[in-house]
Amino acid sequence: GVFLLTASPRPVIVEPMEQYDDEDGLPEKLAQRNPMYQNCASFACREREHPPRFAQHGTFEFEYSQRWKSLDEMEKQQREQVEKNMREARDKLENEMEDAYHEHQAMLLRQDLMRRQEELRRMEELHSQEVQKRKQLELRQEEERRRREEEMLMRQREKEEMIRRQREENFRMGYMDPVSFLNGCFGLRKLF
């Protein structure tokens, strides 16, 4: 059936509602009255001329009440469908956003890893260059030390060679002149 409250064939839609508060509401004596509803010439007064009732089958009121009821039902279904579509769209967008966020984080981690690997490669390259320079410096120092040692050995050999020649020469000179040889050996003076 279709329940009508006013003269209009628009039916009343009643749905159960949970009551969450314990207030008794506003007493009628405290309600402010609208003068339009007091004047019976007004639209509101005409609407109240017919008492609440169920529309009779086959009447004009019943036909249009059914149409209103169908329209309200269609609106309710479409709202539910829109809400369902919106929930699905929100869930889908939420999932896409989460996937994109994880992908973004992974990309940032990859970039950071690549940057660190590049930095490590540069540091290893600098380290190898430093090691190479150090080796070259050590080789130069070693070569310089060897060269100095060789120079010292050469000077020492030259000195020894010079001393040996001098002795040989002194020996030859002393061998030819026994007196000067004896003078050189014993520190004797020439007596004659």
Side-chain angles (χ1 to χ4, degrees), residues 20-170:
Y20 295 109
D21 55 13
D22 295 333
E23 293 181 16
D24 292 333
L26 184 68
E28 187 177 347
K29 63 181 178 183
L30 296 177
Q32 293 187 3
R33 307 228 184 260
N34 189 338
M36 277 182 53
Y37 287 103
Q38 302 298 325
N39 183 359
C40 282
S42 70
F43 175 74
C45 190
R46 279 184 304 206
E47 283 290 310
R48 291 186 294 154
E49 283 178 355
H50 293 93
R53 68 208 172 279
F54 284 102
Q56 298 296 320
H57 286 282
T59 63
F60 172 80
E61 286 180 334
F62 184 78
E63 182 185 334
Y64 276 91
S65 296
Q66 286 292 21
R67 286 172 133 182
W68 275 108
K69 195 173 178 183
S70 306
L71 183 64
D72 286 340
E73 188 62 35
M74 186 173 69
E75 181 183 1
K76 183 179 177 184
Q77 289 173 354
Q78 287 181 356
R79 283 184 192 278
E80 287 173 358
Q81 185 62 38
V82 166
E83 286 177 12
K84 179 183 174 192
N85 292 346
M86 290 305 295
R87 272 194 309 273
E88 289 173 356
R90 281 188 197 104
D91 291 344
K92 182 180 176 185
L93 184 60
E94 188 76 31
N95 290 336
E96 286 177 7
M97 184 178 71
E98 194 171 320
D99 292 343
Y101 176 76
H102 290 305
E103 183 62 34
H104 179 69
Q105 291 297 320
M107 183 188 68
L108 290 177
L109 287 173
R110 281 193 295 273
Q111 288 176 347
D112 187 49
L113 179 63
M114 288 172 60
R115 183 184 55 78
R116 288 181 184 209
Q117 285 176 338
E118 180 64 25
E119 189 177 317
L120 180 63
R121 186 191 61 74
R122 274 198 318 265
M123 288 176 66
E124 286 175 348
E125 190 176 299
L126 287 172
H127 179 70
S128 70
Q129 288 175 355
E130 188 68 31
V131 166
Q132 189 70 21
K133 284 179 184 178
R134 200 174 301 137
K135 283 182 180 178
Q136 288 176 352
L137 181 64
E138 287 174 0
L139 284 173
R140 280 198 303 265
Q141 288 175 345
E142 182 66 25
E143 200 174 298
E144 182 69 25
R145 187 185 58 76
R146 255 188 273 133
R147 190 180 57 75
R148 275 186 267 138
E149 284 179 359
E150 286 175 4
E151 283 179 2
M152 285 177 59
L153 281 172
M154 289 291 287
R155 278 191 227 129
Q156 193 167 351
R157 285 183 187 148
E158 285 174 2
K159 241 185 205 181
E160 287 174 358
E161 183 65 28
M162 200 168 78
I163 292 172
R164 188 183 61 76
R165 282 187 198 150
Q166 205 172 22
R167 282 187 184 159
E168 281 180 5
E169 199 167 305
N170 284 343

